[in-house]
Amino acid sequence: MATDVNGAAEQSGGLVFHPMDQFIIKPLFGDGAVGMFTVTNITLWMAITVLATIALLVLGSSGRSTIPGRMQSIAELAYGFIRKMVEDVAGRDALPYFPYIMTIFMFVVMANFVGLLPGAFTSTSHIGVTAVLAMLVFISVTAIGFIKHGAGFLSLFWISAAPLPLRPILALIEVISYFVRPVSHSIRLAGNMMAGHAVMKVFAAFAPMIIISTGIGLVVTPLSILAIAAIYALEILVAFIQAYVFTILTCVYLKDALHPAH
């Protein structure tokens, strides 16, 4: 039915747009099926994200100038910001894991900002990418908990302050919520990034309305352009906030692993 409607709209010269098409993973070379080792648009933009992160953190701060330039200032601000976050949320004993958390933050925030470039592919809008990041956090934090505390890590699920009859029920709830962590961790980031880009694409589809109809287009086109500008500004803020939320949740989970007792 949707195909018939789109086809009819195209034949009548109407406005046809598919806001979710921007999230389709396609081979970078050719039109074949996407396999395990196929180079795709998402792998290209993830590679660009990694290279941009290296350029910012390594090349940008390699000079170590007394009066830092723009790139060095951004790198130093990011370093100080995440280090303070780790120390404030997870404690000073979490600082050995700061490089890991810094890497996660820089990849997510850089992927979010790179995805705002015209024609770019937002890799963090795909649940496949965010799920891998969330599972890496989940597995590493769980491993740290058991390595540090052994079976004592299980005290995370046993709320000793609660009345004894309620403890088994609360323990079951804690176990379920613990294993749901990577799901909520990944869906929150992917959902927010996908929603913003989809809304921008919807308004972008109405921007050329003035070409189709000079009547209603005189009203719709300027409003669409204003809406795109406003949403784009909001997405810049969301790109940073979502990276911040993903990282601070990682610090919270790390704190539970280092200090499991309630």
Side-chain angles (χ1 to χ4, degrees):
M1 182 63 70
T3 304
D4 295 340
V5 172
N6 292 336
E10 288 172 353
Q11 290 176 1
S12 62
L15 186 65
V16 179
F17 60 94
H18 307 280
M20 304 306 289
D21 283 358
Q22 59 182 310
F23 305 112
I24 297 176
I25 298 177
K26 303 174 182 177
L28 202 58
F29 308 103
D31 298 318
V34 176
M36 183 177 295
F37 301 104
T38 304
V39 180
T40 62
N41 49 355
I42 192 170
T43 55
L44 169 66
W45 285 100
M46 282 196 291
I48 292 173
T49 298
V50 172
L51 292 175
T53 304
I54 293 172
L56 175 63
L57 296 181
V58 179
L59 300 181
S61 58
S62 59
R64 299 181 181 179
S65 302
T66 305
I67 302 176
R70 292 179 182 178
M71 290 184 66
Q72 185 176 335
S73 296
I74 295 172
E76 290 177 357
L77 283 171
Y79 180 94
F81 177 72
I82 300 303
R83 183 182 175 89
K84 189 174 187 304
M85 181 196 297
V86 173
E87 188 173 354
D88 290 347
V89 176
R92 292 190 61 86
D93 51 347
L95 288 178
Y97 308 101
F98 161 74
Y100 179 61
I101 296 174
M102 179 72 177
T103 302
I104 291 175
F105 172 79
M106 289 307 303
F107 177 81
V108 174
V109 76
M110 193 65 74
N112 291 351
F113 280 121
V114 165
L116 291 172
L117 296 175
F121 190 98
T122 312
S123 53
T124 46
S125 66
H126 261 271
I127 191 66
V129 174
T130 59
V132 170
L133 291 172
M135 284 303 300
L136 285 173
V137 171
F138 178 78
I139 293 171
S140 58
V141 165
T142 303
I144 290 169
F146 279 109
I147 292 171
K148 288 282 186 181
H149 306 283
F153 177 62
L154 298 176
S155 62
L156 176 66
F157 310 110
W158 189 255
I159 305 177
S160 56
L164 185 59
L166 291 178
R167 292 179 193 177
I169 300 173
L170 293 176
L172 178 61
I173 294 173
E174 288 289 328
V175 170
I176 293 172
S177 65
Y178 186 81
F179 283 96
V180 170
R181 281 179 175 182
V183 178
S184 61
H185 207 185
S186 58
I187 290 177
R188 181 183 294 105
L189 174 58
N192 278 282
M193 298 311 299
M194 179 180 288
H197 285 268
V199 171
M200 277 198 294
K201 187 66 176 286
V202 169
F203 281 107
F206 287 103
M209 182 68 75
I210 194 171
I211 300 175
I212 300 172
S213 173
T214 55
I216 191 172
L218 291 173
V219 177
V220 173
T221 295
L223 290 177
S224 298
I225 294 173
L226 288 174
I228 293 169
I231 295 172
Y232 192 89
L234 180 62
E235 280 300 294
I236 293 175
L237 182 62
V238 169
F240 176 78
I241 290 176
Q242 289 304 312
Y244 171 79
V245 170
F246 193 93
T247 309
I248 202 168
L249 285 175
T250 302
C251 293
V252 170
Y253 300 155
L254 179 59
K255 178 185 177 182
D256 289 342
L258 296 174
H259 311 283
H262 284 278

